[in-house]
């Protein structure tokens, strides 16, 4: 069934909308291309089939967008016009439940009214002034990140913050800081250790520690001096770490893109000890798993101090959609930095910083985090039920908090499940290792959790049965 949109679509998009009667007729044409998969009478009716090239969506994509956009992602014919909370709406007047949150970005939901008010107010006050001067909101955000981190039980040595514009920039800063620290011992101490299935960004530095040949191969040679170890395998780290050559170790406490794999606390304690013994900087990339996503302010917040890092990188949720990132460092890192070692034009602008301050206040609140954990339990209970229903196809429920995944075996291709979910009005994404990844808004309503889980169940059933046909 088509759902009504609660507010008007922006004026500049109205020309691309179909009247409802034409839309239904057009959808019949779209569905006919999938008549084979729809031959199973017990399957749900496809309500959100990807529009074909003759639809207004198809015409927009093929004439206005695609010919002028650099090739990056493989995207379906889906044009998002607006969103509210945990819903998104497309150019065909259809509503979707969103379990992606812009890939863990809109943690407080789409079109958050309080953030919209902050943006409007600050846009009429001061958007940018450059880092030639201090501004009040950047200082407040840096202060709040450090103090809230310490209060949460995270990074016991947190002292300073570098504000930037993205996760990749945050990781680039972390790598530069680690190299500067390493070179304070020796010019030969510049190597990094990264981990299999990691993802840290797409610029040349961050790409060099993103150990996936699919991303790396077209752009070699990369930044030299990167060794690769296995996650949750301390012996593999011991094989490549060197007191004379290693300057930094970078790791995600929960690998997101790489397969929703949680690092064991004991492994991270051992990793911290190895770094201390070898004068190596330990970097936690919490760009996806931090800022409340794991059910605590940081994934490492509930770990003992023996597992804490020297640097934490963050982005995504920090701006709830506004581009902002940050790199939080300990005093030992700050001591080796000099004026001019690093910088940014836009980083720490008043608008982004004010939004970030609001987000940090929200996601560090104890009641808010308890609600995240309560919602996580609902998801895990539902996902476990699904896994038990399809034991030959789903091998594991993975993750923590609201960074969760379903691990599929070889009998199911996760991309097929993503497609079927979209057909039925649910947006989900995949991750490495054939994992279905769920990263909804942290304040997603409980009823949408239940509704979305039912769509996942139905979609897996359809994929499984169609595969047997």
């Amino acid at each position: 069934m088509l759902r009504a949109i609660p507010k008007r679509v922006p004026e500049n998009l109205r020309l691309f909308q179909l009247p409802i009667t034409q839309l239904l007729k057009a959808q019949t044409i779209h569905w006919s291309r999938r008549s084979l998969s729809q031959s199973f009478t017990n399957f749900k009716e496809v309500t959100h089939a990807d529009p074909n090239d003759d639809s207004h969506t198809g015409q927009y994509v093929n004439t206005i967008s695609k010919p002028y956009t650099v090739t990056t992602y493989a995207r379906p014919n889906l044009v998002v016009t607006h969103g509210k909370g945990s819903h998104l709406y497309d150019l065909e007047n259809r509503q979707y439940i969103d379990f992606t949150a812009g890939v863990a970005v809109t943690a407080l939901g789409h079109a958050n009214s309080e953030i919209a008010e902050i943006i409007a107010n600050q846009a009429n006050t001061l958007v940018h002034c450059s880092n030639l001067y201090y501004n009040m909101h950047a200082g407040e955000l840096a202060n709040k990140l450090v103090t809230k981190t310490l209060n949460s039980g995270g990074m016991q040595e947190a002292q300073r913050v570098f504000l930037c514009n993205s996760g990749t920039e945050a990781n680039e800063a972390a790598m530069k800081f680690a190299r500067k620290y390493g070179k304070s011992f020796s010019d030969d101490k510049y190597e990094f250790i990264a981990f299999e299935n990691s993802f840290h960004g797409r610029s040349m530095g961050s790409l060099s520690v993103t150990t996936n040949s699919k991303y790396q191969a077209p752009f070699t040679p990369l930044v030299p001096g990167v060794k690769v170890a296995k996650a949750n395998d301390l012996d593999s780290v011991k094989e490549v770490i060197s007191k004379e050559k290693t300057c930094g170790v970078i790791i995600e406490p929960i690998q997101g893109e790489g397969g929703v794999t949680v690092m064991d606390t004991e492994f991270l304690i051992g990793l911290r000890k190895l770094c201390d013994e070898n004068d190596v900087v330990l970097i936690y990339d919490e760009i996806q798993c931090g800022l409340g996503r794991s059910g605590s302010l940081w994934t490492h917040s509930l770990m003992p101090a023996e597992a804490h890092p020297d640097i934490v990188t963050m982005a995504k949720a920090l701006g709830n959609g506004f581009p902002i990132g940050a790199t939080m460092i300990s005093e030992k890192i700050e001591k080796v930095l000099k004026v001019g070692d690093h910088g940014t034009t836009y980083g720490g602008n008043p608008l982004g910083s004010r939004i970030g301050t609001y987000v940090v206040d929200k996601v560090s609140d104890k009641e808010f985090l308890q609600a995240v954990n309560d919602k996580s339990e609902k998801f895990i209970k539902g996902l476990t039920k699904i896994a038990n229903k399809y034991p030959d196809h789903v091998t594991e429920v993975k993750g923590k908090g609201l960074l969760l995944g379903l691990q599929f075996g070889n009998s199911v291709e996760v991309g097929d499940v993503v497609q079927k979910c979209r057909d039925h009005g649910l947006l989900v994404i995949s991750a490495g290792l054939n994992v279905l990844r769920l990263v909804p808004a942290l304040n997603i309503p409980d009823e949408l959790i239940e509704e979305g889980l039912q769509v996942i169940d139905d979609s897996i059933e359809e994929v499984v049965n169609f595969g047997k046909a």
Side-chain angles (χ1 to χ4, degrees):
M1 173 180 289
L2 294 173
R3 301 177 177 89
I5 294 181
K7 63 179 183 179
R8 293 179 63 193
V9 174
E11 186 72 21
N12 64 327
L13 293 174
R14 289 170 63 194
L15 290 175
F16 289 95
Q17 286 188 279
L18 288 169
I20 292 297
T21 55
Q22 293 183 35
L23 175 60
L24 290 170
K25 182 178 179 181
Q27 282 185 318
T28 301
I29 297 173
H30 302 163
W31 296 339
S32 67
R33 295 187 173 188
R34 298 169 188 228
S35 58
L36 180 61
S37 65
Q38 291 304 304
S39 64
F40 297 96
T41 57
N42 61 320
F43 290 164
K44 290 180 63 177
E45 180 183 50
V46 173
T47 58
H48 293 65
D50 294 341
N52 66 17
D53 289 343
D54 295 328
S55 68
H56 282 179
T57 292
Q59 292 176 45
Y60 174 83
V61 168
N62 293 322
T63 63
I64 294 179
S65 180
K66 200 170 183 179
Y68 302 97
T69 304
V70 171
T71 299
T72 51
Y73 300 99
R75 293 182 277 199
N77 270 7
L78 170 59
V79 177
V80 175
T81 58
H82 62 289
K84 186 62 180 176
S86 290
H87 281 123
L88 285 174
Y89 302 85
D90 72 3
L91 203 51
E92 307 295 324
N93 274 353
R94 299 180 299 187
Q95 175 181 269
Y96 297 80
I97 298 171
D98 183 16
F99 275 11
T100 74
V103 193
V105 169
T106 52
L108 301 181
H110 299 290
N112 181 284
S113 58
E114 291 174 302
I115 291 177
E117 185 176 346
I118 289 171
I119 292 172
N121 179 274
Q122 192 60 39
N124 283 290
T125 305
L126 182 66
V127 171
H128 177 77
C129 65
S130 91
N131 283 297
L132 296 173
Y133 319 104
Y134 293 101
N135 77 74
M136 293 177 64
H137 297 297
E140 183 179 4
L141 176 56
N143 180 298
K144 193 148 286 188
L145 280 168
V146 171
T147 56
K148 295 285 188 181
T149 293
L150 295 173
N151 290 340
S152 77
M155 193 176 165
Q156 64 171 352
E157 302 295 333
Q159 290 289 328
R160 309 286 182 103
V161 175
F162 170 73
L163 296 173
C164 53
N165 309 287
S166 69
T168 291
E169 286 185 41
N171 281 337
E172 289 285 344
M175 293 176 70
K176 284 183 68 175
F177 298 163
R179 275 215 169 156
K180 187 70 187 294
Y181 180 81
K183 284 179 175 288
S184 69
F185 293 92
S186 165
D187 283 344
D188 294 327
K189 195 173 174 65
Y190 64 86
E191 293 184 350
F192 287 93
I193 297 174
F195 292 84
E196 293 179 357
N197 300 312
S198 63
F199 185 91
H200 299 292
R202 296 177 185 269
S203 60
M204 293 303 286
S206 59
L207 180 62
S208 299
V209 291
T210 295
T211 56
N212 186 321
S213 60
K214 178 179 71 174
Y215 298 130
Q216 291 184 335
F219 305 104
T220 55
L222 301 172
V223 174
V226 177
K227 307 294 184 183
V228 181
K230 296 179 180 179
N232 287 323
D233 183 345
L234 203 59
D235 288 336
S236 72
V237 181
K238 292 177 181 177
E239 291 176 4
V240 293
I241 198 166
S242 166
K243 190 166 188 174
E244 291 72 32
K245 294 184 177 182
T246 310
C247 71
V249 172
I250 184 168
I251 189 168
E252 302 155 274
I254 305 176
Q255 290 182 335
E257 302 290 335
V260 193
T261 301
V262 180
M263 298 301 113
D264 297 333
T265 298
E266 291 304 314
F267 168 71
L268 293 177
I269 290 174
L271 190 60
R272 168 78 272 174
K273 184 178 180 182
L274 275 179
C275 288
D276 288 340
E277 292 171 350
N278 291 278
D279 295 318
V280 170
V281 174
L282 179 58
I283 304 165
Y284 281 176
D285 176 340
E286 293 226 26
I287 291 165
Q288 186 163 162
C289 65
L291 293 166
R293 177 61 56 183
S294 66
S296 55
L297 180 58
W298 304 111
T299 301
H300 74 272
S301 288
L302 299 180
M303 298 179 186
E306 291 80 9
H308 288 189
D310 301 300
I311 298 177
V312 173
T313 60
M314 67 200 80
K316 288 190 181 287
L318 187 58
N320 204 65
F322 188 90
I324 183 172
T327 308
M328 186 160 52
I329 66 174
S330 64
E331 191 66 18
K332 81 175 187 182
I333 307 300
E334 167 65 21
K335 285 180 179 179
V336 304
L337 300 178
K338 306 296 181 186
V339 171
D341 278 347
H342 200 49
T344 172
T345 297
Y346 295 107
N349 66 76
L351 178 54
S353 297
R354 188 172 171 188
I355 295 169
T357 299
Y358 173 82
V359 170
V360 171
D361 277 337
K362 280 290 185 182
V363 301
S364 61
D365 179 77
K366 290 183 178 179
E367 290 185 6
F368 181 89
L369 291 172
Q370 182 56 56
V372 172
N373 284 301
D374 291 343
K375 293 175 190 300
S376 176
E377 288 184 15
K378 292 180 184 294
F379 266 107
I380 292 172
K381 181 179 178 180
L383 292 172
T384 301
K385 183 179 179 180
I386 291 171
N388 291 337
K389 183 176 179 181
Y390 305 101
D392 295 332
H393 307 285
V394 180
T395 63
E396 184 181 358
V397 176
K398 306 178 74 175
K400 188 176 182 180
L402 291 179
L403 173 48
L404 298 168
L406 275 182
Q407 177 75 64
F408 289 103
N410 295 330
S411 60
V412 170
E413 170 55 49
V414 66
D416 293 338
V417 179
V418 171
Q419 169 79 59
K420 291 300 180 186
C421 286
R422 189 167 69 250
D423 283 347
H424 300 307
L426 173 69
L427 299 178
V428 289
I429 49 178
S430 62
L433 306 178
N434 206 32
V435 169
L436 183 72
R437 181 173 25 152
L438 312 180
V439 282
L442 301 183
N443 56 3
I444 184 172
D446 290 349
E447 61 270 21
L448 292 187
I449 296 175
E450 298 297 333
E451 189 175 342
L453 287 171
Q454 185 60 57
V455 174
I456 292 174
D457 188 346
D458 293 339
S459 297
I460 294 173
E461 181 178 6
E462 186 171 342
V463 169
V464 167
N465 286 326
F466 180 62
K468 291 179 179 179

